[in-house]
């Protein structure tokens, strides 16, 4: 389900060598630092974790994001649901 007023295009995730991440369907970057990036996508909230993360490219008009760094994990949060583990509650 797409967010109202956000990008409604297709959602794709490509990870190359755990050093580069390309995401389409990005609606907004909620917060970021060198260890995590939290973004809204057309398929829900995505959390990227790692080290030395930096955003190489961001186009909200086209819904594209490119991240470089040491990528440890990519996960989705269930929007609007109260369930989830400690880290999903911490990142909200």
């Amino acid at each position: 389900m797409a967010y109202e007023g956000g990008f409604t295009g297709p959602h794709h995730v490509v990870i190359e060598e755990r050093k580069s991440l390309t995401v389409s369907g990005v609606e907004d970057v909620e917060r970021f630092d060198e260890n995590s990036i939290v973004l809204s996508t057309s398929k829900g909230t995505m959390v990227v974790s790692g080290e030395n993360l930096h955003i190489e490219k961001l186009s909200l008009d086209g819904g594209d994001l490119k991240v470089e760094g040491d990528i440890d994990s990519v996960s989705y949060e269930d929007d609007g649901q109260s369930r989830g583990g400690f880290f999903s509650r911490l990142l909200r």
Side-chain angles (χ1 to χ4, degrees):
M1 178 167 99
Y3 294 96
E4 293 189 16
F7 183 79
T8 59
H11 177 62
H12 300 282
V13 178
V14 177
I15 300 173
E16 298 178 35
E17 302 288 326
R18 292 183 62 184
K19 298 285 183 191
S20 175
L21 170 71
T22 305
V23 183
S24 64
V26 175
E27 297 174 345
D28 191 21
V29 175
E30 295 179 14
R31 60 186 173 273
F32 65 94
D33 60 32
E34 67 180 16
N35 296 314
S36 69
I37 300 172
V38 179
L39 51 136
S40 297
T41 74
S42 58
K43 296 296 182 183
T45 301
M46 174 186 277
V47 180
V48 180
S49 298
E51 295 178 358
N52 303 314
L53 300 177
H54 57 277
I55 296 174
E56 286 289 314
K57 175 187 170 188
L58 174 62
S59 171
L60 294 179
D61 291 336
D64 298 316
L65 172 79
K66 182 169 184 178
V67 175
E68 299 284 335
D70 300 318
I71 300 165
D72 292 333
S73 69
V74 176
S75 62
Y76 290 88
E77 293 182 350
D78 290 333
D79 290 338
Q81 306 235 352
S82 60
R83 63 184 185 163
F86 171 75
F87 288 107
S88 68
R89 290 189 306 270
L90 178 67
L91 294 173
R92 287 189 182 162

Coordinates of all heavy atoms in Angstrom, one line a residue:
M1 N 0.8 -1.2 0.0 CA 0.0 0.0 0.0 C 0.9 1.2 0.0 O 1.8 1.4 0.8 CB -0.9 0.0 1.2 CG -1.8 1.2 1.3 SD -3.1 1.0 2.6 CE -2.3 1.8 3.9
A2 N 0.7 2.1 -0.9 CA 1.5 3.4 -1.0 C 1.0 4.4 0.0 O -0.2 4.4 0.3 CB 1.4 3.9 -2.4
Y3 N 1.9 5.2 0.4 CA 1.5 6.3 1.3 C 0.8 7.4 0.5 O 1.2 7.6 -0.6 CB 2.8 6.9 2.0 CG 3.5 6.0 2.9 CD1 4.5 5.2 2.5 CD2 3.0 5.8 4.2 CE1 5.1 4.3 3.4 CE2 3.6 4.9 5.1 CZ 4.7 4.2 4.6 OH 5.3 3.3 5.5
E4 N -0.1 8.1 1.1 CA -0.8 9.1 0.4 C 0.1 10.3 0.1 O 0.9 10.7 1.0 CB -2.0 9.6 1.3 CG -3.1 8.6 1.4 CD -4.3 9.1 2.0 OE1 -4.5 10.3 2.1 OE2 -5.1 8.3 2.5
G5 N 0.1 10.7 -1.1 CA 0.9 11.8 -1.6 C 2.4 11.4 -1.8 O 3.1 12.3 -2.2
G6 N 2.7 10.2 -1.6 CA 4.1 9.7 -1.9 C 4.3 9.1 -3.2 O 3.4 9.0 -4.0
F7 N 5.5 8.6 -3.5 CA 5.8 8.0 -4.7 C 5.1 6.7 -4.8 O 5.0 5.9 -3.9 CB 7.3 7.8 -4.8 CG 7.8 7.1 -6.0 CD1 8.0 7.9 -7.2 CD2 8.1 5.8 -6.1 CE1 8.4 7.3 -8.3 CE2 8.5 5.2 -7.3 CZ 8.7 6.0 -8.4
T8 N 4.5 6.4 -5.9 CA 3.7 5.2 -6.1 C 4.2 4.2 -7.1 O 3.5 3.3 -7.5 CB 2.2 5.5 -6.5 OG1 2.2 6.2 -7.7 CG2 1.5 6.3 -5.4
G9 N 5.4 4.4 -7.5 CA 6.1 3.5 -8.5 C 6.5 2.2 -7.9 O 6.2 1.9 -6.8
P10 N 7.1 1.3 -8.8 CA 7.5 0.0 -8.3 C 8.6 0.1 -7.2 O 9.3 1.1 -7.2 CB 8.0 -0.7 -9.6 CG 8.4 0.4 -10.5 CD 7.4 1.6 -10.2
H11 N 8.7 -1.0 -6.4 CA 9.7 -1.0 -5.3 C 10.7 -2.1 -5.6 O 10.3 -3.3 -5.7 CB 9.0 -1.2 -4.0 CG 9.9 -1.4 -2.8 ND1 10.7 -0.3 -2.4 CD2 10.1 -2.4 -2.0 CE1 11.4 -0.7 -1.4 NE2 11.1 -2.0 -1.1
H12 N 11.9 -1.7 -5.8 CA 13.0 -2.7 -6.0 C 14.2 -2.5 -5.1 O 14.4 -1.3 -4.7 CB 13.6 -2.6 -7.4 CG 12.5 -2.8 -8.5 ND1 12.1 -4.1 -8.8 CD2 11.8 -2.0 -9.3 CE1 11.2 -4.0 -9.8 NE2 11.0 -2.7 -10.1
V13 N 14.8 -3.5 -4.6 CA 16.0 -3.4 -3.8 C 17.1 -4.3 -4.4 O 16.9 -5.4 -4.7 CB 15.7 -3.9 -2.3 CG1 16.9 -3.9 -1.5 CG2 14.5 -3.2 -1.7
V14 N 18.3 -3.6 -4.6 CA 19.4 -4.3 -5.1 C 20.6 -4.1 -4.2 O 21.0 -2.9 -4.0 CB 19.8 -3.9 -6.6 CG1 21.0 -4.6 -7.1 CG2 18.6 -4.1 -7.5
I15 N 21.2 -5.2 -3.7 CA 22.4 -5.1 -2.9 C 23.6 -5.7 -3.7 O 23.5 -6.8 -4.2 CB 22.3 -5.8 -1.6 CG1 21.1 -5.2 -0.8 CG2 23.6 -5.7 -0.8 CD1 20.8 -5.9 0.5
E16 N 24.7 -4.9 -3.8 CA 25.8 -5.5 -4.6 C 27.0 -5.6 -3.6 O 27.5 -4.6 -3.0 CB 26.2 -4.5 -5.7 CG 25.1 -4.4 -6.7 CD 25.4 -3.4 -7.8 OE1 26.6 -3.3 -8.2 OE2 24.5 -2.7 -8.3
E17 N 27.5 -6.8 -3.4 CA 28.7 -7.1 -2.6 C 28.6 -6.6 -1.2 O 29.6 -6.3 -0.6 CB 29.9 -6.5 -3.3 CG 30.2 -7.0 -4.7 CD 30.7 -8.5 -4.7 OE1 31.4 -8.9 -3.8 OE2 30.3 -9.2 -5.7
R18 N 27.4 -6.3 -0.7 CA 27.2 -5.7 0.6 C 27.9 -4.4 0.8 O 28.1 -3.9 1.9 CB 27.6 -6.7 1.7 CG 26.7 -7.9 1.8 CD 27.1 -8.9 2.9 NE 26.9 -8.2 4.2 CZ 27.3 -8.7 5.4 NH1 27.8 -9.9 5.4 NH2 27.1 -8.1 6.5
K19 N 28.2 -3.7 -0.3 CA 28.8 -2.4 -0.3 C 28.0 -1.3 -0.9 O 28.2 -0.2 -0.7 CB 30.2 -2.5 -1.0 CG 31.2 -3.4 -0.4 CD 31.8 -2.8 0.8 CE 32.8 -3.7 1.4 NZ 33.3 -3.3 2.7
S20 N 27.0 -1.7 -1.7 CA 26.2 -0.8 -2.4 C 24.7 -1.2 -2.4 O 24.4 -2.4 -2.6 CB 26.6 -0.7 -3.9 OG 25.8 0.2 -4.6
L21 N 23.8 -0.3 -2.1 CA 22.4 -0.6 -2.0 C 21.6 0.4 -2.9 O 21.8 1.6 -2.8 CB 21.9 -0.5 -0.6 CG 20.4 -0.5 -0.4 CD1 19.8 -1.9 -0.6 CD2 20.0 -0.1 1.0
T22 N 20.8 -0.1 -3.8 CA 20.0 0.8 -4.6 C 18.5 0.4 -4.3 O 18.1 -0.8 -4.4 CB 20.3 0.6 -6.1 OG1 21.7 0.8 -6.3 CG2 19.5 1.5 -7.0
V23 N 17.7 1.4 -4.1 CA 16.3 1.2 -3.7 C 15.4 2.1 -4.6 O 15.7 3.3 -4.8 CB 16.0 1.5 -2.2 CG1 14.6 1.3 -1.9 CG2 16.9 0.8 -1.3
S24 N 14.4 1.6 -5.2 CA 13.4 2.4 -5.9 C 12.1 2.3 -5.1 O 11.9 1.4 -4.3 CB 13.2 1.9 -7.3 OG 12.7 0.6 -7.3
G25 N 11.2 3.2 -5.3 CA 9.9 3.3 -4.6 C 10.1 4.0 -3.2 O 9.3 3.9 -2.3
V26 N 11.2 4.9 -3.1 CA 11.4 5.6 -1.9 C 10.5 6.9 -1.9 O 10.5 7.6 -2.9 CB 12.9 6.0 -1.8 CG1 13.2 6.9 -0.6 CG2 13.8 4.8 -1.8
E27 N 9.9 7.0 -0.7 CA 9.0 8.2 -0.6 C 9.6 9.3 0.3 O 9.4 10.5 0.1 CB 7.7 7.8 0.0 CG 6.9 6.8 -0.9 CD 5.7 6.3 -0.3 OE1 5.5 6.4 1.0 OE2 4.9 5.7 -1.0
D28 N 10.4 8.9 1.3 CA 11.0 9.9 2.2 C 12.1 9.2 3.0 O 12.1 8.0 3.3 CB 10.0 10.4 3.2 CG 10.5 11.6 3.9 OD1 11.4 12.3 3.5 OD2 9.9 11.9 5.0
V29 N 13.2 9.9 3.3 CA 14.2 9.5 4.3 C 13.9 10.1 5.6 O 13.9 11.3 5.8 CB 15.6 9.8 3.8 CG1 16.6 9.4 4.9 CG2 15.9 9.2 2.5
E30 N 13.5 9.2 6.6 CA 13.1 9.7 7.9 C 14.3 10.2 8.7 O 14.2 11.2 9.4 CB 12.3 8.7 8.6 CG 11.0 8.4 7.9 CD 10.1 7.3 8.6 OE1 10.4 7.0 9.7 OE2 9.2 6.8 7.9
R31 N 15.3 9.4 8.8 CA 16.5 9.8 9.5 C 17.7 8.9 9.0 O 17.5 7.8 8.5 CB 16.3 9.6 11.0 CG 16.0 8.3 11.5 CD 15.7 8.3 13.0 NE 15.2 7.0 13.5 CZ 13.9 6.7 13.5 NH1 13.0 7.5 13.0 NH2 13.6 5.5 13.9
F32 N 18.9 9.4 9.2 CA 20.1 8.6 8.8 C 21.3 9.1 9.6 O 21.4 10.2 10.1 CB 20.3 8.7 7.3 CG 20.7 10.1 6.9 CD1 22.0 10.4 6.8 CD2 19.7 11.0 6.5 CE1 22.4 11.7 6.3 CE2 20.1 12.3 6.1 CZ 21.4 12.6 6.0
D33 N 22.2 8.1 9.8 CA 23.5 8.4 10.3 C 24.5 7.4 9.7 O 24.0 6.6 8.8 CB 23.6 8.5 11.8 CG 23.2 7.2 12.5 OD1 23.4 6.1 11.9 OD2 22.6 7.3 13.6
E34 N 25.7 7.3 10.2 CA 26.6 6.4 9.5 C 26.3 4.9 9.8 O 26.9 4.0 9.2 CB 28.1 6.7 9.9 CG 28.4 6.5 11.3 CD 29.8 6.9 11.6 OE1 30.5 7.6 10.8 OE2 30.3 6.5 12.7
N35 N 25.4 4.6 10.8 CA 25.1 3.3 11.2 C 23.7 2.8 10.8 O 23.5 1.6 10.8 CB 25.3 3.1 12.7 CG 26.7 3.3 13.1 OD1 27.7 2.8 12.5 ND2 26.9 4.1 14.1
S36 N 22.8 3.7 10.4 CA 21.5 3.3 10.0 C 20.8 4.3 9.2 O 21.1 5.5 9.3 CB 20.6 2.9 11.3 OG 20.3 4.1 12.0
I37 N 19.9 3.9 8.3 CA 19.1 4.7 7.5 C 17.7 4.2 7.6 O 17.4 3.0 7.4 CB 19.6 4.7 6.0 CG1 21.0 5.2 5.9 CG2 18.6 5.6 5.2 CD1 21.6 5.1 4.6
V38 N 16.7 5.1 7.9 CA 15.3 4.7 8.0 C 14.6 5.5 6.9 O 14.7 6.7 6.9 CB 14.7 5.0 9.4 CG1 13.3 4.7 9.5 CG2 15.5 4.3 10.5
L39 N 13.9 4.7 6.1 CA 13.2 5.4 5.0 C 11.8 4.8 4.8 O 11.6 3.7 5.1 CB 14.0 5.3 3.7 CG 14.5 3.9 3.2 CD1 14.3 3.8 1.8 CD2 16.0 3.8 3.5
S40 N 10.9 5.7 4.2 CA 9.6 5.2 3.9 C 9.6 4.8 2.4 O 10.1 5.6 1.6 CB 8.6 6.4 4.1 OG 8.5 6.8 5.4
T41 N 9.1 3.7 2.1 CA 9.0 3.2 0.7 C 7.5 2.9 0.4 O 6.7 2.9 1.3 CB 9.8 1.9 0.5 OG1 9.1 0.8 1.1 CG2 11.2 2.0 1.0
S42 N 7.3 2.6 -0.8 CA 5.9 2.3 -1.2 C 5.4 1.0 -0.6 O 4.2 0.7 -0.7 CB 5.8 2.2 -2.8 OG 6.7 1.3 -3.3
K43 N 6.3 0.2 0.0 CA 6.0 -1.1 0.6 C 6.2 -1.1 2.1 O 6.1 -2.1 2.8 CB 6.8 -2.2 0.0 CG 6.5 -2.5 -1.4 CD 5.1 -2.9 -1.7 CE 4.8 -3.2 -3.1 NZ 3.5 -3.6 -3.4
G44 N 6.4 0.1 2.7 CA 6.5 0.2 4.2 C 7.8 0.8 4.6 O 8.6 1.3 3.7
T45 N 8.1 0.9 5.9 CA 9.3 1.5 6.4 C 10.4 0.5 6.3 O 10.3 -0.6 6.8 CB 9.1 1.9 7.9 OG1 8.0 2.9 7.9 CG2 10.3 2.6 8.5
M46 N 11.5 1.0 5.7 CA 12.7 0.1 5.6 C 13.8 0.6 6.5 O 14.0 1.9 6.6 CB 13.2 0.1 4.1 CG 14.5 -0.6 3.9 SD 15.1 -0.4 2.2 CE 14.2 -1.6 1.4
V47 N 14.5 -0.3 7.1 CA 15.7 0.1 8.0 C 16.9 -0.6 7.4 O 17.0 -1.8 7.2 CB 15.5 -0.3 9.4 CG1 16.6 0.0 10.3 CG2 14.2 0.3 10.0
V48 N 17.9 0.2 7.1 CA 19.2 -0.3 6.6 C 20.2 -0.1 7.7 O 20.3 1.0 8.2 CB 19.7 0.5 5.3 CG1 21.0 0.0 4.8 CG2 18.6 0.4 4.2
S49 N 20.9 -1.1 8.1 CA 21.9 -1.1 9.2 C 23.3 -1.4 8.6 O 23.4 -2.3 7.7 CB 21.5 -2.0 10.3 OG 20.3 -1.6 10.9
G50 N 24.3 -0.8 9.2 CA 25.7 -1.2 8.8 C 26.6 -0.2 9.4 O 26.4 0.4 10.5
E51 N 27.8 0.0 8.7 CA 28.8 0.9 9.2 C 29.3 1.8 8.0 O 29.2 1.3 6.8 CB 30.0 0.1 9.7 CG 29.7 -0.6 11.0 CD 30.9 -1.4 11.5 OE1 32.0 -1.4 10.8 OE2 30.8 -2.1 12.5
N52 N 29.7 3.0 8.3 CA 30.1 3.9 7.3 C 29.1 4.1 6.1 O 29.5 4.3 5.0 CB 31.5 3.5 6.7 CG 32.5 3.3 7.7 OD1 32.7 4.1 8.6 ND2 33.2 2.1 7.7
L53 N 27.8 4.1 6.5 CA 26.8 4.3 5.5 C 26.7 5.8 5.1 O 26.8 6.7 5.9 CB 25.4 3.9 6.0 CG 25.3 2.4 6.4 CD1 23.9 2.1 7.0 CD2 25.6 1.5 5.3
H54 N 26.6 6.0 3.8 CA 26.4 7.4 3.3 C 25.5 7.3 2.0 O 25.5 6.4 1.3 CB 27.6 8.2 3.1 CG 28.6 7.5 2.1 ND1 29.5 6.6 2.5 CD2 28.8 7.7 0.8 CE1 30.2 6.2 1.4 NE2 29.8 6.9 0.4
I55 N 24.6 8.3 1.9 CA 23.7 8.4 0.8 C 24.5 9.0 -0.4 O 24.9 10.2 -0.3 CB 22.5 9.2 1.2 CG1 21.7 8.5 2.3 CG2 21.6 9.4 0.0 CD1 20.5 9.2 2.9
E56 N 24.6 8.2 -1.5 CA 25.3 8.7 -2.7 C 24.3 9.5 -3.6 O 24.7 10.5 -4.2 CB 25.8 7.5 -3.5 CG 27.0 6.9 -2.9 CD 28.2 7.8 -3.0 OE1 28.5 8.3 -4.1 OE2 28.9 7.9 -2.0
K57 N 23.1 9.0 -3.6 CA 22.1 9.6 -4.5 C 20.7 9.5 -3.9 O 20.3 8.5 -3.3 CB 22.1 8.9 -5.9 CG 21.0 9.4 -6.8 CD 20.9 8.6 -8.0 CE 19.7 8.9 -8.9 NZ 19.5 8.0 -10.0
L58 N 19.9 10.6 -3.9 CA 18.6 10.6 -3.4 C 17.7 11.5 -4.4 O 18.0 12.6 -4.6 CB 18.5 11.2 -2.0 CG 17.0 11.4 -1.5 CD1 16.3 10.0 -1.4 CD2 17.1 12.0 -0.1
S59 N 16.7 10.8 -5.0 CA 15.8 11.5 -5.8 C 14.4 11.2 -5.4 O 13.9 10.1 -5.7 CB 16.0 11.2 -7.3 OG 14.9 11.7 -8.1
L60 N 13.7 12.0 -4.6 CA 12.4 11.7 -4.1 C 11.4 11.9 -5.3 O 10.3 11.2 -5.3 CB 12.0 12.6 -2.9 CG 12.8 12.4 -1.7 CD1 12.4 13.3 -0.6 CD2 12.7 10.9 -1.2
D61 N 11.7 12.7 -6.3 CA 10.8 12.9 -7.4 C 10.7 11.5 -8.2 O 9.6 11.1 -8.6 CB 11.2 14.0 -8.3 CG 11.1 15.4 -7.7 OD1 10.2 15.5 -6.8 OD2 11.8 16.3 -8.1
G62 N 11.8 10.9 -8.3 CA 11.9 9.6 -9.0 C 11.8 8.4 -8.1 O 11.6 7.3 -8.6
G63 N 11.9 8.6 -6.8 CA 11.8 7.6 -5.8 C 13.0 6.7 -5.7 O 12.9 5.5 -5.4
D64 N 14.2 7.2 -6.0 CA 15.4 6.4 -6.1 C 16.4 6.9 -5.0 O 16.5 8.0 -4.6 CB 16.1 6.6 -7.4 CG 15.3 6.1 -8.6 OD1 14.7 5.1 -8.4 OD2 15.2 6.9 -9.6
L65 N 17.1 5.9 -4.4 CA 18.1 6.1 -3.4 C 19.2 5.1 -3.6 O 19.0 4.0 -4.0 CB 17.5 5.7 -2.0 CG 18.5 5.7 -0.8 CD1 18.8 7.1 -0.4 CD2 17.9 4.9 0.3
K66 N 20.5 5.6 -3.5 CA 21.7 4.8 -3.6 C 22.5 5.0 -2.3 O 22.8 6.2 -1.9 CB 22.5 5.1 -4.8 CG 23.7 4.2 -4.9 CD 24.4 4.3 -6.2 CE 25.5 3.2 -6.3 NZ 26.1 3.2 -7.6
V67 N 22.9 4.0 -1.6 CA 23.6 4.0 -0.4 C 24.9 3.2 -0.6 O 25.0 2.2 -1.2 CB 22.8 3.3 0.8 CG1 23.7 3.3 2.0 CG2 21.6 4.1 1.0
E68 N 26.0 3.8 -0.1 CA 27.3 3.1 -0.1 C 27.8 2.9 1.3 O 27.4 3.7 2.2 CB 28.4 4.0 -0.8 CG 28.1 4.3 -2.3 CD 28.3 3.1 -3.2 OE1 29.1 2.2 -2.8 OE2 27.7 3.0 -4.3
G69 N 28.5 1.8 1.6 CA 29.0 1.6 2.9 C 29.0 0.1 3.2 O 28.9 -0.7 2.3
D70 N 29.2 -0.3 4.4 CA 29.3 -1.7 4.8 C 27.9 -2.1 5.3 O 27.5 -1.8 6.4 CB 30.3 -2.0 5.9 CG 31.7 -1.6 5.5 OD1 32.1 -1.9 4.3 OD2 32.4 -1.0 6.2
I71 N 27.1 -2.8 4.5 CA 25.7 -3.1 4.7 C 25.6 -4.4 5.5 O 26.0 -5.4 5.0 CB 24.9 -3.1 3.4 CG1 25.0 -1.8 2.7 CG2 23.4 -3.5 3.7 CD1 24.5 -1.8 1.3
D72 N 25.0 -4.3 6.7 CA 24.8 -5.5 7.5 C 23.4 -6.1 7.4 O 23.3 -7.3 7.4 CB 25.1 -5.2 9.0 CG 26.5 -4.9 9.3 OD1 27.4 -5.3 8.6 OD2 26.8 -4.1 10.3
S73 N 22.4 -5.2 7.3 CA 21.0 -5.8 7.2 C 20.1 -4.8 6.6 O 20.3 -3.6 6.6 CB 20.5 -6.2 8.6 OG 20.3 -5.0 9.4
V74 N 19.0 -5.3 6.0 CA 17.9 -4.5 5.5 C 16.7 -5.2 6.0 O 16.5 -6.4 5.8 CB 17.9 -4.5 3.9 CG1 16.7 -3.8 3.4 CG2 19.2 -3.9 3.4
S75 N 15.8 -4.4 6.6 CA 14.5 -5.0 7.2 C 13.4 -4.0 7.0 O 13.6 -2.8 6.8 CB 14.7 -5.4 8.6 OG 15.0 -4.2 9.4
Y76 N 12.2 -4.5 7.1 CA 11.0 -3.7 7.0 C 10.2 -3.8 8.3 O 10.2 -4.8 9.0 CB 10.0 -4.3 5.9 CG 10.6 -4.1 4.5 CD1 11.4 -5.1 3.9 CD2 10.2 -3.0 3.8 CE1 11.9 -4.9 2.6 CE2 10.7 -2.8 2.5 CZ 11.5 -3.8 1.9 OH 12.0 -3.6 0.6
E77 N 9.6 -2.7 8.6 CA 8.8 -2.6 9.8 C 7.3 -2.7 9.4 O 7.0 -2.2 8.3 CB 9.0 -1.3 10.6 CG 10.3 -1.1 11.2 CD 10.5 0.2 12.0 OE1 9.6 1.0 11.8 OE2 11.5 0.3 12.7
D78 N 6.5 -3.3 10.2 CA 5.0 -3.3 9.9 C 4.4 -2.0 10.4 O 4.3 -1.7 11.5 CB 4.3 -4.5 10.7 CG 4.8 -5.8 10.1 OD1 5.1 -5.9 8.9 OD2 4.7 -6.8 10.8
D79 N 4.1 -1.2 9.4 CA 3.5 0.1 9.7 C 2.1 0.0 10.3 O 1.3 -0.8 9.9 CB 3.4 1.0 8.5 CG 4.8 1.5 8.0 OD1 5.7 1.5 8.8 OD2 4.9 1.8 6.8
G80 N 1.8 0.7 11.4 CA 0.5 0.7 12.0 C 0.2 -0.5 12.8 O -0.9 -0.7 13.3
Q81 N 1.2 -1.3 13.1 CA 1.0 -2.5 13.9 C 1.8 -2.4 15.2 O 2.9 -1.9 15.2 CB 1.4 -3.8 13.1 CG 0.8 -3.9 11.8 CD 0.0 -5.2 11.6 OE1 0.1 -6.0 12.4 NE2 -0.7 -5.3 10.5
S82 N 1.2 -2.9 16.3 CA 1.9 -2.8 17.6 C 2.9 -3.9 17.8 O 3.6 -3.9 18.8 CB 0.9 -2.8 18.7 OG 0.1 -4.0 18.7
R83 N 2.9 -5.0 17.0 CA 3.8 -6.1 17.2 C 5.2 -5.7 16.8 O 5.4 -4.8 16.0 CB 3.3 -7.3 16.6 CG 3.3 -7.2 15.1 CD 2.7 -8.4 14.5 NE 2.8 -8.2 13.0 CZ 2.7 -9.2 12.2 NH1 2.4 -10.4 12.6 NH2 2.8 -9.0 10.9
G84 N 6.2 -6.5 17.2 CA 7.6 -6.3 16.7 C 8.5 -6.5 17.9 O 8.1 -6.5 19.1
G85 N 9.8 -6.6 17.6 CA 10.7 -6.8 18.6 C 11.2 -5.5 19.2 O 10.8 -4.4 18.9
F86 N 12.2 -5.7 20.1 CA 12.8 -4.5 20.8 C 13.3 -3.5 19.8 O 13.0 -2.3 19.9 CB 13.9 -5.0 21.7 CG 14.7 -3.9 22.3 CD1 14.2 -3.2 23.3 CD2 16.0 -3.6 21.8 CE1 15.0 -2.1 23.9 CE2 16.7 -2.5 22.3 CZ 16.2 -1.8 23.4
F87 N 14.1 -3.9 18.8 CA 14.7 -2.9 17.9 C 13.6 -2.2 17.0 O 13.8 -1.0 16.7 CB 15.7 -3.6 17.0 CG 17.0 -3.9 17.8 CD1 17.3 -5.2 18.1 CD2 17.8 -2.9 18.2 CE1 18.4 -5.5 18.9 CE2 18.9 -3.2 18.9 CZ 19.2 -4.5 19.3
S88 N 12.6 -2.9 16.6 CA 11.6 -2.2 15.8 C 10.8 -1.2 16.6 O 10.5 -0.1 16.1 CB 10.6 -3.2 15.2 OG 9.8 -3.8 16.3
R89 N 10.6 -1.4 17.9 CA 10.0 -0.4 18.8 C 11.0 0.7 19.1 O 10.6 1.9 19.2 CB 9.6 -1.0 20.1 CG 8.4 -2.0 19.9 CD 7.8 -2.4 21.3 NE 8.8 -3.0 22.2 CZ 9.1 -4.3 22.2 NH1 8.4 -5.2 21.4 NH2 9.9 -4.8 23.1
L90 N 12.3 0.4 19.2 CA 13.3 1.4 19.4 C 13.4 2.4 18.3 O 13.6 3.6 18.5 CB 14.6 0.7 19.7 CG 15.8 1.6 20.0 CD1 15.6 2.4 21.3 CD2 17.1 0.8 20.0
L91 N 13.3 1.9 17.1 CA 13.5 2.7 15.9 C 12.3 3.5 15.5 O 12.3 4.4 14.6 CB 13.9 1.9 14.7 CG 15.3 1.2 14.8 CD1 15.6 0.3 13.7 CD2 16.4 2.3 14.9
R92 N 11.2 3.3 16.1 CA 10.0 4.1 15.8 C 10.0 5.5 16.4 O 10.5 5.8 17.3 CB 8.7 3.4 16.3 CG 8.4 2.2 15.4 CD 7.1 1.6 15.7 NE 7.0 0.5 14.9 CZ 6.2 -0.5 15.1 NH1 5.3 -0.5 16.1 NH2 6.1 -1.5 14.3

